[in-house]
Amino acid sequence: MKVRPPSQHPSGAIPPPIPRDLVPRHVAIVMDGNGRWAKQRGLPRVEGHKMGESSLFDVIEGAIELGVPYLSAYAFSTENWKRSPDEVRFLMGFNRDVIRRRRDELHAMGVRVRWAGRPGRLWRSVISELTDAEEMTKHNRTLTLQFCVNYGGRSEIVDAAVKLAADIAAGRVKPGKVTEKVFARYLDEPEIPDVDLFLRSSGEQRTSNFLLWQSAYAEMVFLNRLWPDFDRRDLWDACEQYAKRDRRYGGAIPNEVRP
């Protein structure tokens, strides 16, 4: 299949010249601020979610242009069930329809879709669209897009612990052999690497239970822009900030001691 390149941004903007080895391998995005964006304009909250769709797909195209191989989007959290029934119903249908509406476009650009989250309370139609998109795009290699739907970092860790405990009880794993590497194999998408850049819109500075295990050493960037106003240039800005960070993973270079 011939892969279609991403469309150019309307402004004509091009990716910044970040050295290849300084481009984050995995970017996780908390798409925050849809409700506030709508409130500022006297609109229902759902209008903000609708506008956020184009922001996500512009960011996806920008990630491809920059050469980011993995992108995770927090589409619906395990805590989002606390919202009003009307908003929850809208988000269920909206997530389902976005996947259906954009699946061919993603496939044409060589995007592989993966889904992380609990099936539990999800609408069957949402699960069906997600699994169909996974199957359609499973051989694509341009970018892996992880949709996190009915996802929570703590829930993922608990679910992984339950599966590991079952394997230990069945004798398939020895307790003394459990390491971080072994445990990570029980997470939702173990083949997706740890998060390098954790990006959140709207100015809020918290992780909100997103990819907790995978973000242990992520660089955090919080941009003061509501999600519907986001586009690929904001992603590039965050990646430029990331490229300037000194990632030591707990290590340190000894200080030069002056005589």
Side-chain angles (χ1 to χ4, degrees):
M1 183 187 79
K2 186 176 180 180
V3 175
R4 160 178 95 67
S7 59
Q8 189 176 37
H9 189 268
S11 70
I14 60 174
I18 300 174
R20 183 69 191 143
D21 62 331
L22 296 180
V23 173
R25 191 176 181 206
H26 182 184
V27 178
I29 303 180
V30 178
M31 304 177 290
D32 193 24
N34 293 330
R36 275 169 284 169
W37 183 92
K39 184 177 181 180
Q40 288 175 1
R41 291 158 177 78
L43 300 170
R45 288 177 57 84
V46 297
E47 295 303 318
H49 296 307
K50 292 177 183 177
M51 290 299 297
E53 177 184 345
S54 59
S55 296
L56 173 59
F57 281 85
D58 195 75
V59 165
I60 291 169
E61 291 189 300
I64 294 172
E65 286 185 294
L66 190 59
V68 174
Y70 295 90
L71 187 71
S72 292
Y74 208 3
F76 189 90
S77 77
T78 49
E79 289 72 41
N80 286 156
W81 295 103
K82 299 173 186 176
R83 297 187 178 184
S84 72
D86 285 345
E87 185 171 359
V88 168
R89 278 193 296 272
F90 170 81
L91 288 170
M92 285 293 103
F94 183 64
N95 279 301
R96 175 196 62 207
D97 296 344
V98 166
I99 297 298
R100 180 188 299 156
R101 195 163 51 240
R102 298 284 192 161
R103 181 176 55 202
D104 292 344
E105 180 181 350
L106 291 169
H107 185 45
M109 291 191 295
V111 174
R112 180 179 68 139
V113 175
R114 300 296 301 167
W115 164 43
R118 284 177 162 175
R121 299 168 69 182
L122 276 181
W123 290 5
R124 290 183 181 180
S125 58
V126 177
I127 295 173
S128 176
E129 292 297 338
L130 286 164
T131 54
D132 285 352
E134 284 186 321
E135 179 63 25
M136 172 186 281
T137 64
K138 64 183 179 182
H139 298 301
N140 293 343
R141 294 293 178 264
T142 301
L143 176 142
T144 295
L145 174 64
Q146 180 176 221
F147 271 114
C148 296
V149 186
N150 198 26
Y151 174 88
R154 287 181 174 181
S155 297
E156 180 184 27
I157 292 169
V158 167
D159 291 347
V162 168
K163 288 183 285 187
L164 174 58
D167 278 352
I168 290 173
R172 291 186 287 267
V173 177
K174 295 181 179 179
K177 297 295 184 180
V178 176
T179 62
E180 291 180 12
K181 186 175 181 179
V182 169
F183 185 86
R185 292 204 295 263
Y186 290 85
L187 298 173
D188 286 358
E189 294 292 334
E191 82 283 3
I192 294 179
D194 282 350
V195 175
D196 294 309
L197 171 60
F198 189 105
L199 172 60
R200 183 176 187 136
S201 60
S202 88
E204 301 292 345
Q205 299 186 21
R206 56 181 178 270
T207 62
S208 292
N209 198 24
F210 188 39
L211 296 174
L212 298 179
W213 177 280
Q214 299 87 338
S215 298
Y217 278 99
E219 296 296 325
M220 304 287 182
V221 175
F222 303 103
L223 296 181
N224 193 23
R225 188 187 301 278
L226 301 177
W227 181 250
D229 294 327
F230 236 70
D231 65 22
R232 70 188 75 184
R233 294 170 296 183
D234 298 294
L235 170 69
W236 295 342
D237 175 21
C239 289
E240 286 187 293
Q241 293 187 46
Y242 167 86
K244 296 173 183 176
R245 303 279 178 91
D246 182 14
R247 306 187 77 200
R248 296 189 298 272
Y249 298 96
I253 299 172
N255 293 341
E256 181 181 346
V257 179
R258 296 189 181 93

